[in-house]
Structure formats: C-alpha cells, structure tokens
Amino acid sequence: FQAVRPALADADPAVQRSAIRVLSAWPDSAPLEDLFALAHSPGETTVRTLAMQGAVSLLEKCHDLQEDAKVRILEREFGRAESRETETMLISTLGKLSTPGALQLAESRLGRWWQGVGRACILYPAGRHPRLFFRRPRAWNAQRNRRC
C-alpha cells in the first residue's frame, strides 16, 4: 500500500487513475481513507469520481471492517456527499449491510433522497437482520406493461 500511495498525489491524472484502480482492489481497508480523501479533494472531476467509486467498492468488499464501522463511515460520507450520484452510491452500499444501524441510517437518508424516484422497501426475513431494497414506482413499470 505504501508503494502505491504517493501516486494518488501525482500531478498526472492518468497516474492517479491507475493508482485508484490498484487501491480499489486492495485486499484490506488500508487505502480506504486515502481514497475518500482524494474523492473530496479539489481537482479533476474524473479522478474524484473514480476515487469515490473505488472507495465505495473497497468498502463493500473489505472483510476486515465490522458492519457497524462501515455504517459509521457511510454516515460520515453522507455528510460530505457533494452530488446525488455520490448519495446513490452510498445508498446502494448501505442496502448491502444488515445491521440495525444501517437500517436507521437508510431510513433517515431516504426521506430526502428518494423523493420522486421510487420506493424503498424493508424486507424482514425470518430470523435474520432486515434488508433494504428498492422498487420502481408503478408508473415506470406501466410503460413496460408490468407492475411492481
């Protein structure tokens, strides 16, 4: 990780993009904070977007973090989110976590985010943690002659 880390601060965006791709596939959560920091730093939009995508992808895949720690990271990133696309990525990741904290955070964020887009549904499987999933509004499916 330490060998690739300096490439994130390189002046060449191509070098930065390559470093982001490498760190996004890292086997543990070590580069996570660096990717989130790059996503919120001033600079080229493409690099920032790729860094956010890489950080979210790494957060989903890393097994060395407990789900409660992931929820805390997502909550922090919701406060720093600069666009609806970023919030969409974070909501998507949040839906893959199965802790009560994830559910509470989703309920608190969906009120503002979900207006006019669709419905969020909470599935309570027997003996398991609740899961969050999304459904399209019926108007979208009516265009295809299908219903939710």
Side-chain angles (χ1 to χ4, degrees):
F1 164 65
Q2 296 301 330
V4 181
R5 189 177 193 190
L8 290 175
D10 198 277
D12 184 6
V15 173
Q16 286 182 318
R17 287 192 297 269
S18 296
I20 291 167
R21 287 187 185 97
V22 168
L23 294 176
S24 298
W26 209 257
D28 61 19
S29 64
L32 192 62
E33 293 304 322
D34 289 320
L35 290 172
F36 277 126
L38 183 60
H40 296 295
S41 67
E44 188 178 317
T45 305
T46 308
V47 171
R48 293 173 56 210
T49 302
L50 188 61
M52 180 58 76
Q53 290 171 345
V56 168
S57 173
L58 182 61
L59 183 65
E60 289 177 4
K61 294 184 293 189
C62 65
H63 299 291
D64 62 329
L65 287 177
Q66 298 292 323
E67 286 198 352
D68 289 333
K70 291 179 182 182
V71 170
R72 285 192 300 275
I73 291 170
L74 288 170
E75 186 172 17
R76 181 193 70 206
E77 292 304 316
F78 271 120
R80 298 167 69 186
E82 299 170 356
S83 68
R84 193 172 189 92
E85 290 77 23
T86 300
E87 288 185 354
T88 303
M89 281 189 278
L90 297 173
I91 286 275
S92 174
T93 302
L94 192 57
K96 296 173 186 171
L97 302 177
S98 55
T99 63
L103 184 60
Q104 290 171 349
L105 181 58
E107 287 174 343
S108 71
R109 298 306 299 189
L110 285 175
R112 184 175 69 83
W113 178 82
W114 197 251
Q115 293 176 357
V117 177
R119 288 191 302 254
C121 302
I122 301 167
L123 178 64
Y124 292 93
R128 300 169 93 190
H129 290 291
R131 298 296 267 175
L132 181 69
F133 67 99
F134 304 102
R135 294 179 68 183
R136 294 180 180 159
R138 290 187 179 180
W140 288 1
N141 288 328
Q143 294 172 359
R144 296 189 207 164
N145 297 323
R146 291 179 14 196
R147 295 184 65 179
C148 285

